[in-house]
Amino acid sequence: FYSSSKHRRIDAPHHTLSFVAHRRRSPSAHRIFRTAMLSISRQLSRRARSLQSSFVSAMNMSSDVKVDAYTVGSATNIKFHEGMVERETKEKLLKQKGVVLWFTGLSGSGKSTVACTLEHALAARGHMTVLLDGDNVRHGLNSNLGFTAEDREENIRRIGEVSKLFAESGILTLTSFISPYRADRQKVRARMADKDFLEVFMRIPIEICEERDPKGLYKAARAGKIKNFTGIDDPYEEPEKPEITLDAKDKDGNMASAEEMAGTIIEYLEKHGYLKA
């Protein structure tokens, strides 16, 4: 048996040669070949339908499987895990109740100064605290955020979630952020348990804040070098019902010191039982 293309001998099995010869001799060979091919085709089709049916059954079975998880926002298949040490136990160990003191006000209103003074006073009394400052947080956790309305909202959302974790661990949590939008502050409050969020409004007039201007930001904003600056070309929405309001001057018209303001906050914490478990 020779290849027609390269004229070289090909040794084929005897039965193959016989079949070829038979096809040449018998007119019915073509019908036999065709019948065999149709039979094979039918078998393959039945096999394909069987595999498809098995696949559909497997898919139906998988849809019946229940997953003990859920979706939160863009996160899927998650579940909240309760800690083994309850909040009350932690608070008894610390001899205090966890809470978030949310300082809000214009730049230069004294938020960070009063928060720092308060933290020192609480530490001197033996209390565990943590202080989250707006500028400090932007060095790490929120370093990818700017000062657009959207970025400000995300900035406050993140800090709200972090401060919530601290408060739930029994820690007196002090946060110092301009947080200019009322809706953003309300969202943080809504995420926390009742009485876990205390809004501390630094009600200092913008004239005093501009006079202080410790970073020179107001001058830069007035000169147009800083855009979206709160109080100049971006609004500040005052709290409607803050738990604590601190004014620049006392009843006698004297400028209130950071120590006096911190003292006012401590009185509130004592009165409402936050400084004991």
Side-chain angles (χ1 to χ4, degrees):
F1 184 60
Y2 292 88
S3 167
S4 61
S5 59
K6 296 186 177 180
H7 304 286
R8 54 194 178 90
R9 183 179 178 84
I10 299 176
D11 293 324
H14 175 72
H15 65 272
T16 304
L17 295 176
S18 299
F19 178 73
V20 173
H22 179 71
R23 285 192 61 192
R24 290 174 179 174
R25 291 196 307 268
S26 173
S28 64
H30 180 68
R31 288 195 298 274
I32 296 172
F33 178 79
R34 185 178 180 183
T35 301
M37 291 299 101
L38 287 173
S39 176
I40 293 173
S41 177
R42 292 190 188 99
Q43 292 179 26
L44 291 175
S45 296
R46 285 195 296 270
R47 181 59 178 164
R49 287 194 295 271
S50 177
L51 290 173
Q52 183 180 19
S53 177
S54 298
F55 176 76
V56 171
S57 297
M59 291 298 292
N60 290 335
M61 288 178 62
S62 64
S63 65
D64 295 335
V65 176
K66 294 183 179 180
V67 177
D68 188 17
Y70 45 81
T71 298
V72 177
S74 300
T76 59
N77 300 321
I78 62 173
K79 182 178 180 179
F80 189 85
H81 292 272
E82 295 289 347
M84 297 301 291
V85 181
E86 295 182 351
R87 173 175 178 170
E88 291 74 13
T89 301
K90 296 177 182 179
E91 291 180 333
K92 287 180 180 179
L93 289 171
L94 296 172
K95 298 179 181 179
Q96 61 189 36
K97 288 185 174 66
V99 67
V100 174
L101 290 156
W102 192 277
F103 288 81
T104 177
L106 293 170
S107 176
S109 61
K111 299 181 301 298
S112 296
T113 300
V114 175
C116 269
T117 303
L118 175 61
E119 185 176 37
H120 280 287
L122 290 171
R125 288 167 167 253
H127 292 290
M128 180 67 179
T129 63
V130 65
L131 173 58
L132 301 174
D133 180 80
D135 284 358
N136 293 351
V137 170
R138 284 183 178 272
H139 280 75
L141 177 64
N142 293 347
S143 61
N144 65 320
L145 300 176
F147 290 91
T148 63
E150 294 77 12
D151 282 359
R152 286 177 184 268
E153 179 181 1
E154 176 61 14
N155 180 57
I156 297 307
R157 187 194 70 81
R158 292 183 191 178
I159 298 307
E161 292 298 325
V162 172
S163 60
K164 177 177 180 288
L165 294 174
F166 280 120
E168 290 175 345
S169 294
I171 298 175
L172 302 174
T173 308
L174 288 58
T175 68
S176 174
F177 295 84
I178 293 175
S179 45
Y181 307 132
R182 191 178 297 122
D184 293 345
R185 299 193 300 269
Q186 184 57 38
K187 288 178 183 178
V188 175
R189 182 190 291 273
R191 285 281 295 142
M192 299 190 188
D194 185 38
K195 299 181 181 180
D196 273 8
F197 183 90
L198 302 179
E199 196 169 29
V200 182
F201 177 32
M202 301 294 296
R203 189 165 58 186
I204 313 300
I206 191 171
E207 293 78 16
I208 294 179
C209 295
E210 281 202 69
E211 184 179 342
R212 293 173 176 172
D213 201 11
K215 303 176 190 175
L217 299 179
Y218 281 99
K219 291 180 181 178
R222 293 291 187 188
K225 296 181 179 180
I226 299 179
K227 300 298 182 183
N228 303 319
F229 191 78
T230 303
I232 303 300
D233 58 352
D234 207 63
Y236 176 78
E237 299 172 356
E238 295 187 357
E240 295 177 333
K241 295 181 179 180
E243 281 74 14
I244 302 172
T245 300
L246 300 175
D247 291 303
K249 298 180 180 180
D250 58 25
K251 297 179 181 180
D252 298 326
N254 301 316
M255 292 295 294
S257 67
E259 290 75 15
E260 290 172 329
M261 292 182 178
T264 299
I265 298 173
I266 289 177
E267 289 178 6
Y268 183 96
L269 295 175
E270 288 180 331
K271 181 180 178 180
H272 292 83
Y274 289 101
L275 301 185
K276 59 183 179 181

